[in-house]
Amino acid sequence: MTPNNGNKLNVPAPRKRPGEAPEFHNLDIPDAGAVARPDVMMDPKEMFGYANSLIRVLKMNNKAVGEWDPGLCADDMRKGLYHMMTTRIYDDRMQNMQRVGKMSFYMKCRGEEAVSVAQAMALDDKDMLFPSYRQQGLLISRGRDLLDMMNHCLSNSKDNCKGRQLPIMYSWREGNFFSISGNLGTQFCQAVGWAVASAYKGEDALAATWIGEGTTATSDFHHGMTFAAVYNAPVILNVVNNQWAISSFQGIAGGEKSTFAARGVGYGMPGLRVDGNDFLAVYAVTKWAAERARNGGGPTMIEHFTYRADAHSTSDDPSKYRPEDEAESWPLGDPIERLKQHLIEIGEWSEEKHAAAIKEITALVTRKYKEAESYGTLNSGERPEVSSMFEDIFKEQPEHLRRQRQKLGV
Ligand SMILES: Cc1ncc(C[n+]2csc(CCOP(=O)(O)OP(=O)(O)O)c2C)c(N)n1
């Protein structure tokens, strides 16, 4: 064997493991309001600083400050709060239903609600969404009926995906919401392709897509980034850095070497880094990126700096790989609590109204769930005809499927 001349393999490891106290004091978090808002057409070469900072609007004293404050009216902020609360209450209900065997699988987004809700509100309904499995808030904000979402998760007789998709892998054509794929990263390329087509046709609709930071390690991320930059595609490329990719911490995807937002700058597009738990900041950066795209400025990459407060999915147990109270120690708090406290601070909300909203949303979710259950669950109700699995996919059935169907005799 050749002697080692000093090469040293680097295997990144998280700061703290189960049984240890969480530690976040290494994070460099600028004050809210500290980052300037650049002109929407600024040359990406001059924007490197944005990828290495953190755009924040809501101070920890609950006031909104700085150039990025989007100046939203109280009604819109209350709407955002309501959608985030609905997302969380919906998630809790659905996870419970998985636990009692009514559905096969579920994934919550607790702690990340601001990302999907603020972004859906900042975009136009005509904009096409290419999400991952952790942006159910997009559907809720765009007004999808909770009943339809539940029917899908229960794989029942009214599931618009006919039981062919894993629960939470929603598809909603009418809402410009592209079918979610379990193959990580595919949506980056699909969104860029869609955006290129939109520009080619001279339309002003843009595409927005979401992946987790772990997914930046896939080749699809890099293919999507290259095509987006080269063709100046009107697309918002979101990387939700929630610190964990199942049991792999963000350093395994390269987060210790540089920020994820800095990847955007490397490809020649703006890379904005935002406090993902700050509803107002997420809304403001999304508006900035959308305005840039609609003005011919092309793609923007946004890193949402946040924390996945619950397990990866119902098949995961985070107590095996991270300190139990890490979520509660996250220095950027909880997105719902922060927007709630801001609204209270400006005299537009109260603890009583908040409690009443929880009651109202819980009643709505319960009512919708009871109806959804009446159409069947994983272990009750009608099953689709076996023959239906051969339908809807190909316009003309390929030979091998025709043979399989014949063999089944259906
Ligand atoms: C191409 C591919 N590789 C691996 C997996 C298995 N897998 C599913 S989710 C996941 C972690 C993804 O983490 P991240 O991108 O950070 O998103 P998060 O779940 O944190 O939102 C992995 C490895 C997959 N579904 N697809």
Side-chain angles (χ1 to χ4, degrees):
M1 208 199 286
T2 323
N4 188 328
N5 292 325
N7 292 339
K8 204 162 174 279
L9 185 69
N10 176 45
V11 182
R15 242 154 245 281
K16 297 291 168 188
R17 284 295 193 186
E20 298 179 306
E23 183 188 302
F24 289 124
H25 65 250
N26 63 311
L27 298 179
D28 188 9
I29 300 176
D31 285 341
V35 179
R37 185 181 185 278
D39 183 88
V40 291
M41 297 309 275
M42 188 185 255
D43 186 337
K45 289 192 196 77
E46 293 166 34
M47 293 192 65
F48 197 58
Y50 293 92
N52 285 309
S53 193
L54 196 67
I55 296 164
R56 304 179 56 213
V57 171
L58 280 173
K59 276 174 93 76
M60 287 311 178
N61 69 5
N62 307 316
K63 292 197 172 22
V65 292
E67 293 176 17
W68 284 97
D69 179 0
L72 275 180
C73 68
D75 273 348
D76 281 346
M77 284 192 276
R78 276 191 292 264
K79 198 195 275 181
L81 181 67
Y82 197 88
H83 289 328
M84 289 199 289
M85 292 167 73
T86 305
T87 304
R88 189 166 292 184
I89 291 169
Y90 170 81
D91 265 359
D92 285 341
R93 177 81 189 197
M94 299 313 276
Q95 169 133 323
N96 288 346
M97 292 306 113
Q98 191 277 341
R99 292 297 188 225
V100 296
K102 305 270 173 138
M103 51 199 250
S104 58
F105 181 75
Y106 197 71
M107 294 175 104
K108 292 171 78 174
C109 67
R110 187 162 72 90
E112 300 173 41
E113 293 90 347
V115 174
S116 52
V117 172
Q119 295 208 277
M121 287 178 66
L123 293 168
D124 288 352
D125 283 349
K126 65 174 181 284
D127 298 332
M128 187 75 191
L129 313 177
F130 294 79
S132 88
Y133 42 68
R134 224 180 285 285
Q135 282 84 43
Q136 43 271 55
L138 293 171
L139 293 164
I140 287 171
S141 308
R142 280 211 169 166
R144 190 166 189 208
D145 192 334
L146 294 180
L147 177 64
D148 293 333
M149 293 171 68
M150 291 167 171
N151 285 335
H152 159 65
C153 287
L154 291 168
S155 313
N156 67 20
S157 60
K158 295 213 185 265
D159 170 13
N160 71 330
C161 298
K162 302 189 181 175
R164 294 164 184 180
Q165 287 266 79
L166 197 67
I168 60 88
M169 300 287 178
Y170 303 97
S171 176
W172 189 37
R173 187 184 186 133
E174 302 80 0
N176 289 333
F177 182 100
F178 197 78
S179 308
I180 299 173
S181 164
N183 301 330
L184 298 175
T186 48
Q187 67 269 43
F188 247 49
C189 298
Q190 291 156 349
V192 172
W194 192 95
V196 167
S198 176
Y200 181 74
K201 289 185 278 186
E203 293 169 358
D204 79 335
L206 53 90
T209 183
W210 291 260
I211 57 171
E213 86 292 342
T215 304
T216 63
T218 64
S219 53
D220 277 351
F221 166 75
H222 300 280
H223 297 154
M225 294 292 280
T226 302
F227 275 78
V230 169
Y231 293 103
N232 207 38
V235 60
I236 303 177
L237 300 148
N238 295 290
V239 172
V240 184
N241 177 5
N242 64 10
Q243 313 303 316
W244 291 94
I246 317 186
S247 55
S248 296
F249 88 116
Q250 49 82 27
I252 293 289
E256 308 268 276
K257 296 287 177 187
S258 75
T259 69
F260 292 97
R263 315 282 197 270
V265 184
Y267 282 97
M269 66 178 84
L272 300 177
R273 195 160 176 267
V274 63
D275 173 357
N277 291 12
D278 179 337
F279 181 91
L280 298 181
V282 173
Y283 182 92
V285 296
T286 309
K287 276 277 178 211
W288 186 95
E291 198 184 328
R292 182 179 175 94
R294 285 193 231 282
N295 279 304
T300 297
M301 184 188 158
I302 302 174
E303 175 185 347
H304 301 264
F305 195 62
T306 180
Y307 189 87
R308 192 195 78 216
D310 267 310
H312 170 77
S313 72
T314 46
S315 309
D316 174 45
D317 176 5
S319 72
K320 295 276 187 286
Y321 54 80
R322 65 184 191 187
E324 208 166 335
D325 47 350
E326 215 176 57
E328 286 66 42
S329 312
W330 182 243
L332 294 165
D334 175 82
I336 295 183
E337 186 60 21
R338 284 175 68 191
L339 187 60
K340 169 191 168 191
Q341 292 304 337
H342 173 61
L343 279 162
I344 292 175
E345 170 72 25
I346 60 171
E348 294 288 351
W349 197 240
S350 65
E351 290 293 350
E352 295 69 35
K353 285 185 179 150
H354 197 79
I358 291 177
K359 229 171 140 182
E360 183 186 311
I361 298 166
T362 306
L364 173 78
V365 168
T366 304
R367 182 163 57 77
K368 293 282 180 184
Y369 186 77
K370 284 197 172 135
E371 184 176 349
E373 213 179 6
S374 75
Y375 302 127
T377 71
L378 183 66
N379 49 30
S380 70
E382 287 172 29
R383 290 275 165 272
E385 293 291 324
V386 174
S387 60
S388 73
M389 73 174 150
F390 295 99
E391 291 158 8
D392 305 328
I393 312 290
F394 295 98
K395 193 168 172 212
E396 276 152 35
Q397 198 160 76
E399 185 52 27
H400 71 285
L401 287 185
R402 204 188 53 76
R403 277 202 306 273
Q404 285 177 18
R405 186 171 183 166
Q406 229 168 19
K407 234 180 178 174
L408 270 175
V410 289

